[in-house]
Amino acid sequence: MDIMDLPVLGSTLFFTIFSLIGLVFFIRSSVKDRTQKIRAWIDNPEAGILDEIKTYFNNRAYRITNIDPVQQAIAFEGNVQASPFLAVFLSLLAALGLLCLALVLAVFWPQRGFLFFFLLWLAPLAGTFYWQKAARVEAITLELGDPDQPSHPGQYPLTITAHRDELRELQAQFPLDWQGGSSH
């Protein structure tokens, strides 16, 4: 190894490790809770829109776990499955990142270079991590508020707390006056 190559190899090793740190955070964020809260304004809760929304969530494999008539709230739960595609994809990304690290380390220390390729055995841990953490029970709550809101007189605020993908599907299915999308 030429002495001129040392700064290049050092910076390459630094940026490879730096990108692997980003990959670890990407893998961790694949199982992050993305619960959000939105609000819709409805004219008359007796008109059947609440029953339609309850039926919608029942058809999406959620079941009612609690009805609170005092708070005017309904809680649903459903099992969310992990995506096999995403598990494989994350394992492939981890394999690619570890291969890059092994190549840089093999160039940096050529006398032990072949040993670094054993790092590739760690790649399936990314998919396993995702598979174990992504399958979970998701909760959805519907809360009907007081109709005496100055911004929407005579309308009832319906607050829904759920995973952002479920909220997107709900908004596409029901053309209501939707507001919000804040993280919970």
Side-chain angles (χ1 to χ4, degrees):
M1 178 175 4
D2 189 84
I3 192 71
M4 296 300 288
D5 293 336
L6 197 54
V8 173
L9 286 175
S11 64
T12 303
L13 178 63
F14 172 76
F15 286 118
T16 302
I17 291 172
F18 194 67
S19 66
L20 278 175
I21 292 169
L23 178 62
V24 168
F25 281 104
F26 180 76
I27 292 168
R28 283 187 53 211
S29 72
S30 69
V31 296
K32 180 182 174 193
D33 182 30
R34 288 175 171 75
T35 301
Q36 293 183 339
K37 200 180 263 196
I38 61 170
R39 178 175 285 167
W41 300 94
I42 57 177
D43 293 325
N44 183 4
E46 307 300 323
I49 189 72
L50 289 177
D51 289 332
E52 290 179 34
I53 292 174
K54 284 193 285 189
T55 303
Y56 169 80
F57 283 123
N58 283 331
N59 291 340
R60 292 183 61 84
Y62 287 92
R63 61 182 173 80
I64 296 175
T65 57
N66 187 26
I67 297 177
D68 186 352
V70 174
Q71 295 290 329
Q72 294 185 326
I74 302 171
F76 295 86
E77 279 187 356
N79 292 324
V80 176
Q81 301 299 318
S83 166
F85 170 78
L86 192 53
V88 171
F89 180 68
L90 291 173
S91 293
L92 288 175
L93 281 179
L96 185 62
L98 290 170
L99 176 65
C100 291
L101 178 63
L103 287 171
V104 170
L105 291 174
V107 170
F108 211 82
W109 290 290
Q111 64 276 16
R112 302 208 194 283
F114 67 94
L115 292 175
F116 297 115
F117 289 97
F118 285 107
L119 287 172
L120 291 173
W121 286 100
L122 298 175
L125 292 177
T128 303
F129 169 79
Y130 166 77
W131 193 260
Q132 290 175 347
K133 300 283 185 179
R136 62 184 175 269
V137 175
E138 292 248 340
I140 296 175
T141 59
L142 306 175
E143 297 176 48
L144 190 61
D146 186 21
D148 296 328
Q149 300 288 327
S151 61
H152 292 82
Q155 291 186 316
Y156 291 81
L158 176 64
T159 304
I160 303 171
T161 305
H163 189 276
R164 71 177 180 191
D165 294 338
E166 284 295 338
L167 293 175
R168 240 183 262 130
E169 292 290 325
L170 183 71
Q171 288 174 316
Q173 189 74 23
F174 294 94
L176 298 172
D177 182 14
W178 296 103
Q179 294 178 345
S182 63
S183 293
H184 180 64

